[in-house]
Amino acid sequence: DGESMESKFSVVASNDWPEHLAGMKLGQIVSRIREGGLEVKHLPERKKQLDDIGFDWGDPKRFIDVPFEKVMCALYAYYMIRGDTFVKSDFVMPDEQPWPTIFAGYELGAAVTRLRELQNFLEAYHPVKMSLLRMVDFSFFPELALPLDPNADEMNMEHLYVETFGHPLYHISTVPLGLPERMLADGPNGPPEKLSSWYNYEYVREFHEKPGALTDVADWMRDIGFYQLAEEHEQKYGQSHYRQLFLLKDKLDNKEISQEIWDQEIDRIKDEVMEEFENWRQRDTKTAQIVGGVGDGEFDYTINEDEYYYQTLELASSNSQDSSQFERPTMIPNDVIEESVAEFSLGTGDSSNE
C-alpha cells in the first residue's frame, strides 16, 4: 500500500497523450491492478489483454487472489443490512431488495473465507486494507490463517498462543531486575516481529527452578495443556526426575524393564536429587558467609526462642545506655527571653476571659 513514484503517475495533456485521458491517476490504477484490488488478473480474459501488451504484474507476493475492492463493496452492503460481517462460507448475494442488484449472485461467503485465510498476508503487505476491514468490524479467525511461507511448518495452537500472548514461562508476577534491558541488549534470536524470537529460558531459569524438586517447568506446562512446548523444553534441558520416574514405572508395568533395572534407576535418581540439593546448600552457605549471616544470610535458625528473647532485651538495654551518652542537653540560648504564656482552654469559658 506504500505509494511509489509509479503509483503517483498521472496522464498529462499533450500531443503524445489522448486528450480525454488527461488527469487520469494511471499510477494508482496500475498499483490496484498489481495488488489485486481491481478485478483484472482474477479474470483470464482481462489478464490476457494486459499480457498481450507486456504488462508488468509486479511482485507476485503482494497479489491478493480475490478482488479486494469488489469484496469490500459487497461486504459493506452486507454489514449495512445484517449489522455484522460473520458471512457464512456458502453465502451468495441475493437478487432481491434491499441487496444491491449489481452484486446479485456474487459468492461473498467464499471471498470472505479467503480473506480470513490471508490474514497473515494482509497484515504483512497490506496494512491499509486491514484498516478498511476493521472499519466494518471484520473478524479474523486465527485457526484459518495460512502461513506466509506455504513451505513452512504448520503452526499448531501452542505456537500460535506463544506468538499471540508470549511464552507461558514468561508469565511471571515479578520481573527480575534488569531483565528487560538485558533482553533488549541481547536482541531476538529470530525475526523481531515474532514474540517467540524473544524467548530464552535462561532469562527466567532462576525464577522457575527449585533445588531438590522432582518436577520442573516442563511438567507444569504439560499439566496446563502445553504438551508440545513441554517436549521442546525437555529436548533442550532434559527430563525432570518426576518425568523419568513416570516413564520408568510405565515400562515396568509393561514389563519392558526388570525389577532390578527399576531399583537401579531409583537409586540413581535418589543420588542425583541429593547431589543437587547438597550443591545448592553449599552454595547457599557460601552466600551466607559472604553477607555475614547464617543459613539464608539473614536469620540465625540455630538459636532457641528463649535465648533469642534475652539477647534481644540485652541488646535493647545496651543501645538505650549508649544512646543516652550522646543525648544533647536542653539549653536555652542567652539571647532568648522567656515569657509566660497565658493559659488556653478549649472549654467554653466566660466571655470575660476572652
Side-chain angles (χ1 to χ4, degrees):
D1 290 316
E3 287 191 342
S4 62
M5 290 301 295
E6 271 187 36
S7 64
K8 295 179 180 180
F9 177 79
S10 301
V11 175
V12 293
S14 68
N15 295 333
D16 299 329
W17 298 94
E19 185 177 349
H20 68 282
L21 297 179
M24 175 185 287
K25 303 294 184 180
L26 182 60
Q28 292 183 7
I29 295 174
V30 169
S31 295
R32 291 159 63 192
I33 292 175
R34 286 173 176 162
E35 293 181 352
L38 297 178
E39 193 173 25
V40 178
K41 193 175 180 179
H42 314 85
L43 302 177
E45 60 277 12
R46 294 181 181 177
K47 180 178 182 301
K48 183 178 183 305
Q49 292 181 29
L50 290 183
D51 285 337
D52 290 343
I53 62 173
F55 183 77
D56 180 7
W57 293 101
D59 187 355
K61 290 190 301 184
R62 298 181 61 89
F63 177 73
I64 307 175
D65 56 11
V66 290
F68 184 81
E69 296 181 22
K70 182 177 181 179
V71 176
M72 276 300 305
C73 291
L75 186 62
Y76 183 73
Y78 185 99
Y79 176 77
M80 295 299 293
I81 295 171
R82 293 285 183 87
D84 59 57
T85 55
F86 295 105
V87 187
K88 294 183 178 181
S89 59
D90 59 350
F91 179 80
V92 178
M93 296 288 281
D95 187 10
E96 58 187 29
Q97 292 294 332
W99 299 92
T101 56
I102 192 172
F103 292 122
Y106 182 60
E107 297 179 352
L108 179 61
V112 167
T113 299
R114 182 56 179 165
L115 285 181
R116 292 193 170 110
E117 293 175 345
L118 296 175
Q119 176 183 355
N120 294 324
F121 169 78
L122 292 171
E123 290 176 345
Y125 298 111
H126 301 285
V128 174
K129 291 179 174 58
M130 287 292 291
S131 299
L132 293 173
L133 290 170
R134 293 191 185 100
M135 290 174 64
V136 293
D137 296 331
F138 187 80
S139 299
F140 285 99
F141 302 138
E143 63 272 15
L144 296 180
L146 300 174
L148 276 177
D149 183 4
N151 299 320
D153 295 335
E154 183 178 357
M155 183 180 296
N156 60 26
M157 291 303 297
E158 294 184 34
H159 291 149
L160 181 61
Y161 178 95
V162 172
E163 296 301 339
T164 306
F165 302 106
H167 200 283
L169 294 183
Y170 270 17
H171 297 177
I172 54 181
S173 57
T174 304
V175 179
L177 188 64
L179 178 57
E181 292 79 6
R182 180 185 171 191
M183 292 177 62
L184 289 174
D186 294 344
N189 53 35
E193 66 273 8
K194 298 182 66 176
L195 288 182
S196 58
S197 299
W198 296 92
Y199 171 70
N200 185 343
Y201 178 61
E202 297 298 336
Y203 291 144
V204 292
R205 187 168 192 162
E206 293 184 2
F207 183 88
H208 288 291
E209 291 189 355
K210 298 179 180 179
L214 290 177
T215 60
D216 66 5
V217 292
D219 301 310
W220 174 74
M221 286 191 290
R222 193 176 282 108
D223 285 342
I224 62 175
F226 291 100
Y227 301 99
Q228 182 64 34
L229 296 181
E231 293 291 335
E232 293 173 358
H233 182 87
E234 289 176 341
Q235 289 175 6
K236 187 172 183 178
Y237 297 97
Q239 296 175 333
S240 68
H241 294 113
Y242 167 81
R243 184 65 175 170
Q244 295 177 46
L245 285 171
F246 177 84
L247 297 176
L248 284 170
K249 186 63 170 62
D250 189 57
K251 290 182 178 180
L252 181 65
D253 293 341
N254 294 328
K255 302 187 182 307
E256 296 179 18
I257 60 173
S258 63
Q259 184 66 40
E260 181 181 0
I261 295 179
W262 164 262
D263 294 336
Q264 293 174 358
E265 291 297 310
I266 292 296
D267 291 338
R268 175 186 63 81
I269 292 176
K270 285 181 180 179
D271 293 339
E272 290 180 356
V273 172
M274 289 305 300
E275 181 181 2
E276 180 182 341
F277 179 77
E278 287 297 330
N279 291 337
W280 168 77
R281 190 170 68 169
Q282 291 175 10
R283 262 196 328 267
D284 187 64
T285 302
K286 291 180 180 178
T287 303
Q289 292 173 351
I290 293 174
V291 299
V294 179
D296 61 1
E298 184 175 359
F299 300 105
D300 184 357
Y301 294 104
T302 63
I303 191 173
N304 61 50
E305 186 176 352
D306 292 338
E307 186 178 355
Y308 174 78
Y309 174 74
Y310 288 113
Q311 286 188 9
T312 304
L313 287 179
E314 182 180 354
L315 181 62
S317 175
S318 175
N319 290 339
S320 175
Q321 295 175 1
D322 294 341
S323 61
S324 63
Q325 299 175 4
F326 298 98
E327 290 181 357
R328 299 179 59 185
T330 304
M331 298 179 63
I332 301 177
N334 296 329
D335 57 346
V336 176
I337 301 175
E338 292 190 44
E339 295 183 358
S340 60
V341 179
E343 294 185 358
F344 177 78
S345 173
L346 292 177
T348 55
D350 296 332
S351 59
S352 59
N353 295 331
E354 294 181 355

